[in-house]
């Protein structure tokens, strides 16, 4: 027993030695005249005057500290996409959900423990800032890596706009855009560039970590002459599965192993093609496909024959992704039905919405509401009428049914979790389980999934992470327009076991934002002043409408009467008759 304790202590000491604090100082700045596609220079958001922003790299078990200074003239926040933040929900980053945004010229520190392995990314979670470049890879090295490879290569895919996102948002969320057509990007980029190249050494095995950091576009990805073995999907290790091509929606990640050829006789192209089906129009200036050469020998320009698969890909994100650590689908305790749709709301703007209510962030971040409203935190109402809050019981298995009534695919992301993709099908899921293609034995698990147009997906997750987690479409235009909901997990556990750090109260005060109370910053259920009133237009006739309808009918009757009068009193032929001429045939 004693020996066992010593071994345990020794192991503990070893892990402590390995765990270290990794500190990044991040000055968030504008950078002028950046031209990643070589077509138009524009302002971007970078860190420490660098863009593309270099990756954040840590080891499993580390503590990551990010000292952010906001040098923008707008507020900002930073979100580490895919991190569970179990016990540190306030470090998650979405503005208005877990924290008040960091005002200009203010210092704010994010600090959390690294308890996961794999490929992630970070981005601003304030407004549409990540479209303007505030995003970077986030790589966590596993000291006990289950797969063997020689080199680690990070590849980012992104869509690029020549205009700043504020310009796009003004046209997108406008009464002059009733169909909700999203601005279409100008270029596809690999590693935020159109001139990226890679090198392969014969015989070596490469782990390519592919991250889609786009704000809108899904990408198809393949490499001429090389198959890829998937080993990781959104931070979840998978069985080694060979594919010729992949697709990744915005925010999705894959690690693939690629073994280099044995000869340097050919160089090869890597292809990243945007899914143009998602664009309402295909502008003439669009560069939807990006390529990057993989050189075996830079001295020659002898490229292998093309095997460009692109959008003809048969990759299936539910069949080709098999988690390495098996976990069967568990029956659910709590079911949430979400209908995805886009409609013109009563303010004349086409918005994305769940169950016909668009999400508009409350005045007080919902996590602050949870901490400061006592028993009211258990009611969904206190989080505000447009927050789409669902209060969940600790450790319940939660099923979300996503019925997509829209004619587009939507990539849905849940903060704080990976979920199981347990089922899918065409049309609307109405509870008839025989219409579902189930993945019960070992369903794929990830943090972002594509819900196909006109179809449905069924996902499940365990509410084992007390806190407030936003669930949203990761197309940034759609998040901005309201396609989001909040999962309020075990508010009683949060109140009884956690304390909101003072820095989160201070950042609210610094930006003149209320830090406590309900969605309106008030006590109890007095929600006057919280975002409200935006929804589907009144379904029926108001008094004004009835009056207008009556006036229309009267006008129509007068119009018809005058036509009839005209027909029976033909003024032309009456005149001809009077002059003794035959009637006109016209
Ligand atoms: Cu996220
Ligand atoms: Cu994200
Ligand atoms: Cu969407
Ligand atoms: Cu998010």
């Amino acid at each position: 027993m004693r020996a066992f304790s010593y071994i345990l202590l020794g192991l503990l000491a070893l892990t402590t030695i390995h765990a270290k604090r990794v500190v990044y100082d991040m000055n968030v700045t504008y950078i002028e005249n950046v031209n990643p596609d070589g077509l138009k220079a524009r302002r971007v958001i970078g860190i420490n005057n660098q863009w593309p922003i270099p990756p954040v790299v840590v080891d499993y078990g580390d503590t990551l500290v990010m000292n952010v200074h906001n040098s923008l003239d707008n507020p900002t926040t930073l979100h580490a996409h895919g991190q569970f933040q179990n016990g540190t929900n306030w470090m998650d980053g979405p503005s208005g959900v877990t924290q008040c945004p960091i005002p200009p010229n203010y210092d704010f520190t994010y600090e959390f423990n690294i308890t996961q392995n794999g490929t992630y990314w970070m981005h601003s979670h304030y407004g549409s800032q990540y479209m303007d470049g505030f995003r970077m890879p986030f790589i966590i090295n596993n000291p006990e890596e289950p797969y063997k490879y020689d080199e680690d290569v990070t590849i980012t895919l992104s869509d690029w706009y020549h205009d700043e996102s504020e310009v796009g948002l003004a046209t997108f969320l406008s009464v002059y855009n009733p169909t909700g057509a999203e601005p279409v990007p100008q270029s596809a980029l690999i590693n935020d560039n159109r001139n990226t190249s890679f090198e392969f050494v014969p015989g070596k095995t490469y782990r390519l970590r592919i991250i889609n950091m786009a704000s809108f576009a899904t990408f198809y990805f393949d490499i001429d002459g090389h198959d890829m073995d998937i080993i990781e999907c959104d931070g979840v290790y998978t069985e080694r599965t060979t594919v010729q091509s992949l697709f990744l929606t915005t925010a999705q990640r894959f690690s693939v192993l690629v073994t280099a050829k044995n000869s340097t006789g050919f160089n090869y192209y890597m292809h990243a093609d945007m899914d143009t089906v998602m664009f309402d129009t295909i502008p003439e200036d669009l560069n939807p496909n990006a390529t990057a050469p993989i050189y075996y020998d830079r001295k020659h320009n002898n490229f292998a024959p093309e095997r460009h698969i692109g959008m003809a890909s048969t990759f299936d994100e539910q069949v080709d992704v098999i988690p390495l650590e098996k976990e069967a689908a568990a029956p659910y305790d709590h079911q949430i039905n979400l209908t995805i749709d886009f409609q013109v709301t009563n303010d004349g703007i086409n918005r994305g919405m769940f169950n016909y209510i668009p999400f508009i962030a409350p005045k007080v971040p919902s996590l602050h509401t949870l901490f400061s409203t006592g028993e009211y935190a258990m009611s969904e109402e206190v989080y505000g009428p447009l927050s789409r809050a669902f209060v969940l019981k600790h450790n319940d298995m939660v099923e979300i049914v996503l019925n997509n009534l829209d004619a587009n695919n939507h990539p849905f992301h849940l903060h704080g979790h990976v979920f199981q993709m347990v089922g899918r099908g065409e049309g609307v899921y109405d509870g008839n389980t025989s219409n579902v293609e189930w993945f019960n034995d070992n369903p794929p698990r990830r943090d972002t999934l594509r819900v196909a147009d006109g179809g449905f997906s069924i996902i499940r997750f365990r509410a084992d992470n007390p806190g407030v987690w936003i669930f949203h479409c990761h197309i940034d235009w759609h998040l901005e327009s309201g396609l989001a909901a909040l999962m309020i997990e075990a508010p009683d556990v949060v109140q009884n076991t956690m304390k909101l750090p003072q820095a989160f109260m201070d950042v609210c005060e610094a930006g003149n934002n209320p830090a406590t109370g309900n969605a309106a910053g008030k006590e109890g259920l007095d929600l006057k002043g919280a975002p409200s009133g935006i929804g589907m237009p009144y379904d029926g006739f108001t008094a004004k409408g009835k009056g207008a309808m009556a006036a229309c009918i009267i006008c129509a009757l007068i119009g018809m009467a005058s036509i009839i009068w005209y027909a029976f009193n033909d003024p032309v032929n009456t005149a001809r008759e009077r002059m003794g001429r035959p009637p006109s045939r016209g």
Side-chain angles (χ1 to χ4, degrees):
M1 185 66 197
R2 204 143 184 200
F4 177 72
S5 311
Y6 281 131
I7 292 169
L8 212 68
L9 268 175
L11 278 175
L12 213 69
L14 263 178
T15 26
T16 341
I17 290 162
H18 284 294
K20 59 187 186 303
R21 277 173 81 80
V22 179
V23 181
Y24 281 80
D25 292 325
M26 299 177 165
N27 182 16
V28 183
T29 54
Y30 292 114
I31 304 171
E32 302 289 338
N33 292 321
V34 178
N35 194 351
D37 62 1
L39 297 170
K40 192 188 173 194
R42 53 157 286 186
R43 183 174 81 159
V44 303
I45 300 175
I47 288 180
N48 301 333
N49 288 309
Q50 256 185 302
W51 195 89
I53 302 168
V56 168
V57 183
V58 294
D59 295 329
Y60 180 89
D62 286 350
T63 298
L64 175 62
V65 182
M66 295 182 289
N67 299 315
V68 175
H69 179 80
N70 181 7
S71 292
L72 308 177
D73 55 11
N74 269 308
T76 194
T77 67
L78 183 56
H79 166 58
H81 181 117
Q83 294 299 289
F84 299 155
Q85 301 285 10
N86 198 316
T88 50
N89 184 194
W90 39 86
M91 294 296 176
D92 196 39
S95 174
V97 176
T98 57
Q99 73 166 93
C100 292
I102 310 165
N105 200 28
Y106 191 80
D107 290 295
F108 189 80
T109 298
Y110 291 96
E111 176 172 338
F112 51 91
N113 296 330
I114 304 299
T115 60
Q116 294 158 258
N117 284 303
T119 308
Y120 303 88
W121 64 303
M122 292 198 189
H123 57 84
S124 165
H125 218 302
Y126 177 84
S128 51
Q129 277 174 352
Y130 97 69
M131 288 196 211
D132 294 318
F134 188 1
R135 53 180 197 221
M136 65 277 204
F138 174 33
I139 308 298
I140 306 175
N141 293 313
N142 182 357
E144 287 156 23
E145 185 55 55
Y147 289 103
K148 280 203 168 23
Y149 50 89
D150 303 302
E151 303 273 346
D152 208 311
V153 181
T154 298
I155 299 169
T156 68
L157 312 176
S158 49
D159 48 16
W160 191 246
Y161 289 87
H162 288 169
D163 284 324
E164 290 190 22
S165 64
E166 287 294 325
V167 178
L169 268 184
T171 32
F172 176 56
L173 291 182
S174 141
V175 291
Y176 303 108
N177 184 28
T179 61
E182 302 85 356
V184 177
Q186 274 72 43
S187 295
L189 304 177
I190 297 176
N191 286 359
D192 276 329
N193 203 301
R194 283 189 73 83
N195 296 313
T196 313
S197 66
F198 299 89
E199 266 170 39
F200 273 8
V201 173
K204 274 196 177 181
T205 299
Y206 293 84
R207 176 183 189 162
L208 308 183
R209 298 176 186 260
I210 310 150
I211 306 171
N212 185 345
M213 304 200 305
S215 45
F216 183 12
T218 290
F219 273 92
Y220 290 88
F221 182 88
D222 58 87
I223 305 171
D224 289 341
H226 294 71
D227 290 350
M228 304 178 278
D229 289 0
I230 302 171
I231 57 159
E232 181 220 336
C233 165
D234 295 0
V236 177
Y237 281 109
T238 67
E239 280 182 17
R240 194 170 174 150
T241 308
T242 306
V243 295
Q244 290 199 333
S245 66
L246 291 168
F247 72 73
L248 304 89
T249 71
T250 118
Q252 291 186 325
R253 293 91 61 210
F254 279 107
S255 280
V256 295
L257 295 185
V258 178
T259 302
K261 309 273 179 201
N262 283 321
S263 109
T264 59
F266 284 114
N267 297 319
Y268 298 81
Y269 278 108
M270 170 190 293
H271 302 274
D273 295 9
M274 297 200 283
D275 177 4
T276 50
V277 172
M278 293 174 71
F279 302 153
D280 286 35
T281 51
I282 311 276
E284 268 180 30
D285 64 349
L286 177 70
N287 289 299
N289 302 340
T291 53
I294 299 175
Y295 288 106
Y296 279 78
D297 185 350
R298 282 187 184 269
K299 289 197 286 293
H300 68 70
N301 227 6
N302 195 9
F303 278 84
E306 218 178 61
R307 192 191 69 180
H308 182 186
I309 299 162
M311 286 169 63
S313 171
T314 54
F315 174 72
D316 185 324
E317 89 172 305
Q318 260 163 291
V319 172
D320 297 332
V321 176
I322 307 152
L324 190 60
E325 197 181 305
K326 290 198 174 16
E327 191 187 284
Y332 65 84
D333 306 298
H334 184 114
Q335 191 189 47
I336 295 171
N337 280 286
L338 294 178
T339 297
I340 302 150
D341 207 354
F342 280 75
Q343 293 288 340
V344 175
T345 45
N346 50 10
D347 58 351
I349 291 175
N350 185 301
R351 291 177 188 274
M353 52 185 78
F354 283 132
N355 303 353
Y356 299 100
I357 297 179
F359 173 87
I360 294 174
K363 273 193 173 167
V364 173
S366 300
L367 181 61
H368 287 237
T369 295
L370 190 165
F371 269 112
S372 61
T373 54
E375 278 188 9
Y376 287 109
M378 295 301 288
S379 82
E380 289 170 356
E381 223 181 318
V382 78
Y383 300 98
L386 298 183
S387 297
R388 278 261 124 239
F390 293 95
V391 171
L392 306 174
K393 267 215 302 255
H394 196 207
N395 289 326
D396 263 6
M397 195 71 183
V398 181
E399 174 170 287
I400 304 181
V401 176
L402 290 154
N403 277 309
N404 183 3
L405 305 189
D406 189 49
N408 221 336
N409 302 313
H410 296 276
F412 284 97
H413 168 51
L414 176 60
H415 285 220
H417 293 272
V418 290
F419 45 75
Q420 299 178 327
M421 309 196 286
V422 295
R424 66 180 176 190
E426 280 173 23
V428 170
Y429 178 59
D430 55 3
N432 181 353
T433 53
S434 61
N435 292 340
V436 183
E437 185 185 358
W438 293 103
F439 297 86
N440 278 325
D441 295 340
N442 185 25
R445 302 194 293 274
R446 62 187 317 171
D447 62 40
T448 309
L449 100 150
R450 171 160 91 163
V451 182
D453 58 298
F456 63 85
S457 285
I458 303 172
I459 63 172
R460 285 184 203 157
F461 66 97
R462 181 76 61 193
D464 56 2
N465 195 359
V468 177
W469 308 105
I470 187 169
F471 177 70
H472 63 89
C473 177
H474 216 293
I475 292 176
D476 221 16
W477 304 115
H478 298 172
L479 170 57
E480 287 304 300
S481 84
L483 200 43
L486 299 180
M487 301 294 144
I488 317 277
E489 255 172 83
D492 46 342
V493 178
V494 177
Q495 287 183 352
N496 294 332
T497 63
M498 301 179 194
K499 193 177 177 304
L500 188 67
Q502 182 60 37
F504 287 84
M505 301 299 283
D506 297 345
V507 73
C508 291
E509 200 190 323
N512 287 321
N513 292 305
T516 59
N518 62 30
K522 296 192 170 130
E523 282 182 22
L525 294 176
D526 172 13
L527 288 156
K528 219 177 285 151
S532 68
I534 296 179
M536 295 304 290
Y538 181 70
D539 190 12
F541 285 106
T542 59
K544 243 188 193 172
K546 282 177 191 159
M549 182 56 112
C552 280
I553 293 171
I554 291 166
C555 286
L557 288 175
I558 293 172
M560 281 191 289
S562 39
I563 291 168
I564 293 165
W565 175 85
Y566 190 84
F568 282 104
N569 299 282
D570 181 340
V572 176
N573 286 325
T574 314
R576 292 177 77 91
E577 256 172 300
R578 229 184 280 132
M579 289 190 287
R581 295 184 191 164
S584 127
R585 288 183 297 144

